[in-house]
């Protein structure tokens, strides 16, 4: 077999992302009996009670049947909740899946996407392994740079990805900035607003992308059930946009990718998740207040804005610190691979674990602080 001839150059050059090992394996490797996951921005409170109940009651026999191929009932629930048409929603196996559908629907070779250089990396990766160009605009003061993005849009740009709030820096464009940006894009390309962390936002003037859809038919909003709704393990997220745009994206998406249990649990979260959102927001608020104080006392530079995570700049190698904290049962995210050398990202969780994290961090950094 002549692999050289069969494989496109952009696949040959692409380095596949290696996910972390299962927790049990990591505990064995690092010799820690308990492992606290502060690496993936998972909700420490888990799913809302109504979703838990759906999971508990799921009839095993239903596993033999295919799910609704287009998440029919969930889309009805989402349409009801947001005052939109069910046809404006496309549900995917995590919102990561809908990223691929958007790029496939609009981009061919020679086209490009525009996004930031230090944001959720999947936009860039999907473009790269699809042979699509990437215009990566440096962050400005850790935030998406609107002028910089506009300057990189050209005749071949099909999609702009804006992560709001940005993962990993937590910065969030205010509504006026987003409106100004959308007006200046003026329908030349699709603008994706990834609102994976929207339910955590405390800033008063933050936009709600869904509320802008009627005004901007080229706007597409991503949301996920993995973060606030604690369903990361079931893999479910969605996009919402104008009927005409979503109709095109749907052509580049393989139906039946979302399992029945995920659809049912997500529907319960949409319909009955209100109290859970409030409880999680309270936990985040308290956790961030604690971290601001504690990291400030250690004299470490940090970013603590919107979202369920903070970033900390450390005076040692982030990968070395990762290994040291792992031995203490604390798994953080190293950020060197995300173009933030010697920064770490830490999920905001309950007070007890955050105290352990700060204590571990202080002890490991003692020789250099
Ligand atoms: C900004 C952003 N978008 C999308 C996702 C993907 O979410 P999902 O689990 O729905 O694929 C993540 C997950 O970390 C994220 O941080």
């Amino acid at each position: 077999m002549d692999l050289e001839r069969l494989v496109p150059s952009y696949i040959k050059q692409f380095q596949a992302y290696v996910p972390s090992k299962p927790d049990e394996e990591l505990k064995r490797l690092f010799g820690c009996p308990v492992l606290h996951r502060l690496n993936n921005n998972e909700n420490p409170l888990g799913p809302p009670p109504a979703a838990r109940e759906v999971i508990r009651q799921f009839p095993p026999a239903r596993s033999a049947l295919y799910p609704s191929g287009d998440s029919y009932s969930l889309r009805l629930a989402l349409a009801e909740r947001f005052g939109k048409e069910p046809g404006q929603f496309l549900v995917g196996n995590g919102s990561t899946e809908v990223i691929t559908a958007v790029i496939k629907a609009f981009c061919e070779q020679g086209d490009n996407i525009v996004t930031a250089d230090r944001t959720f990396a999947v936009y860039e990766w999907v473009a790269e392994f699809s042979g699509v160009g990437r215009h990566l605009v440096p962050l400005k003061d850790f935030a998406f740079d609107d002028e910089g993005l506009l300057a990189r849009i050209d005749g071949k740009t099909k999609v702009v990805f804006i992560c709001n709030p940005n993962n990993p820096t937590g910065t969030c464009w205010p509504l006026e900035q987003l409106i100004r940006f959308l007006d200046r894009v003026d329908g030349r390309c699709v603008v994706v607003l990834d609102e994976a962390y929207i339910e955590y936002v405390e800033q008063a003037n933050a936009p709600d992308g869904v509320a802008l859809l009627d005004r901007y038919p080229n706007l597409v909003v991503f949301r996920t059930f993995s973060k606030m709704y604690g369903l990361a393990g079931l893999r479910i997220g969605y996009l919402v946009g104008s009927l005409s745009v979503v109709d095109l994206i749907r052509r580049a998406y393989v139906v039946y990718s979302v399992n029945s249990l995920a659809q049912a649990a997500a529907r319960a979260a949409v319909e009955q998740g209100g109290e859970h959102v409030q409880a999680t927001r309270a936990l985040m608020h308290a956790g961030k207040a604690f971290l601001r104080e504690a990291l400030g006392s250690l004299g470490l530079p940090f970013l603590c804005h919107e979202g369920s995570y903070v970033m900390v700049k450390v005076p040692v190698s982030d990968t070395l610190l990762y290994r040291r904290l792992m031995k203490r049962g604390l798994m953080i995210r190293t950020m060197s691979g995300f173009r933030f050398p010697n920064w770490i990202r830490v999920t905001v969780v309950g007070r007890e674990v955050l105290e352990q994290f700060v204590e571990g961090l202080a002890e490991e950094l003692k020789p250099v602080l």
Side-chain angles (χ1 to χ4, degrees):
M1 184 172 54
D2 182 2
L3 277 180
E4 278 297 306
R5 186 182 60 80
L6 292 176
V7 182
S9 57
Y10 50 84
I11 294 290
K12 274 185 214 153
Q13 283 152 23
F14 188 74
Q15 294 248 331
Y17 180 75
V18 183
S20 59
K21 293 192 164 63
D23 287 11
E24 288 313 312
E25 185 67 13
L26 289 171
K27 283 191 218 167
R28 200 183 55 73
L29 279 172
F30 288 92
C32 52
V34 179
L35 186 60
H36 297 294
R37 298 167 60 93
L38 309 181
N39 62 327
N40 272 346
N41 305 335
E42 292 150 343
N43 189 333
L45 298 183
R52 282 175 193 261
E53 195 49 31
V54 164
I55 294 165
R56 213 175 281 123
Q57 302 282 336
F58 189 78
R62 259 185 75 192
S63 307
L65 308 179
Y66 279 99
S68 162
D70 59 359
S71 301
Y72 185 86
S73 304
L74 175 59
R75 287 188 302 107
L76 289 190
L78 288 166
E80 171 84 21
R81 161 84 192 279
F82 291 109
K84 300 280 163 213
E85 301 282 330
Q88 292 184 258
F89 294 85
L90 180 65
V91 182
N93 192 269
S95 61
T96 311
E97 189 182 45
V98 298
I99 298 175
T100 309
V102 170
I103 292 183
K104 284 205 166 91
F106 290 103
C107 302
E108 53 189 323
Q109 277 190 41
D111 291 339
N112 65 67
I113 64 150
V114 173
T115 190
D117 63 343
R118 286 172 296 172
T119 183
F120 187 55
V122 180
Y123 323 128
E124 178 187 335
W125 292 341
V126 174
E128 194 173 352
F129 66 59
S130 306
V132 169
R134 284 111 43 225
H135 292 182
L136 303 181
V137 178
L139 293 181
K140 191 172 171 189
D141 297 331
F142 297 106
F144 268 66
D145 173 12
D146 46 4
E147 292 297 334
L149 294 165
L150 287 163
R152 294 306 306 277
I153 294 174
D154 62 25
K156 290 286 189 183
T157 302
K158 296 294 183 68
V159 190
V160 179
F161 287 93
I162 296 166
C163 187
N164 206 54
N166 188 30
N167 173 10
T169 58
T171 53
C172 182
W173 276 4
L175 175 64
E176 313 77 66
Q177 189 173 6
L178 178 63
I179 284 182
R180 226 174 25 241
F181 181 80
L182 289 166
D183 285 340
R184 289 178 65 192
V185 170
D186 195 23
R188 283 176 292 158
C189 51
V190 169
V191 176
V192 167
L193 195 64
D194 186 343
E195 295 188 334
Y197 297 93
I198 187 79
E199 299 90 352
Y200 293 94
V201 172
E202 295 192 294
Q203 181 180 317
N205 59 358
D208 166 359
V210 179
L212 296 174
L213 290 175
D214 289 344
R215 191 162 153 193
Y216 299 99
N218 61 325
L219 179 63
V220 172
V221 176
F222 288 178
R223 300 247 173 126
T224 180
F225 289 99
S226 298
K227 306 300 176 184
M228 177 56 86
Y229 294 105
L231 295 174
L234 297 187
R235 310 300 302 122
I236 183 161
Y238 62 94
L239 62 74
V240 48
S242 60
L243 281 172
S244 50
V245 166
V246 175
D247 180 51
L248 290 168
I249 299 170
R250 196 177 292 112
R251 297 176 197 194
Y253 160 86
V254 181
V255 288
Y256 291 99
S257 70
V258 184
N259 69 74
S260 308
L261 183 57
Q263 291 182 32
R267 186 175 160 197
V270 170
E271 291 174 340
Q272 299 171 65
E275 279 181 27
H276 177 78
V277 171
Q278 293 318 320
T280 307
R281 284 170 67 98
L283 185 88
M284 288 297 124
H285 189 83
K288 284 182 181 178
F290 169 75
L291 284 174
R292 280 192 192 99
E293 174 83 27
L295 296 169
S297 310
L298 291 177
L300 294 170
F302 65 91
L303 300 173
C304 180
H305 301 299
E306 303 296 351
S308 56
Y309 42 84
V310 301
M311 278 183 74
V312 189
K313 188 157 197 255
V314 290
V316 292
S317 138
D318 53 349
T319 44
L320 176 70
L321 183 63
Y322 169 87
R323 289 197 296 273
R324 296 251 169 96
L325 290 175
M326 280 299 281
K327 289 189 182 152
R328 294 171 176 267
L330 297 159
M331 179 158 48
I332 50 89
R333 170 74 68 176
T334 57
M335 296 307 289
S336 282
F338 295 83
R339 305 192 179 101
F340 276 105
N342 299 341
W343 284 78
I344 59 170
R345 193 193 64 200
V346 182
T347 305
V348 180
V349 292
R351 174 72 179 244
E352 201 181 313
V353 177
L354 289 183
E355 279 176 8
Q356 278 181 48
F357 162 69
V358 170
E359 195 182 305
L361 186 68
E363 283 176 17
E364 295 301 343
L365 297 182
K366 208 189 239 154
V368 284
L369 279 179

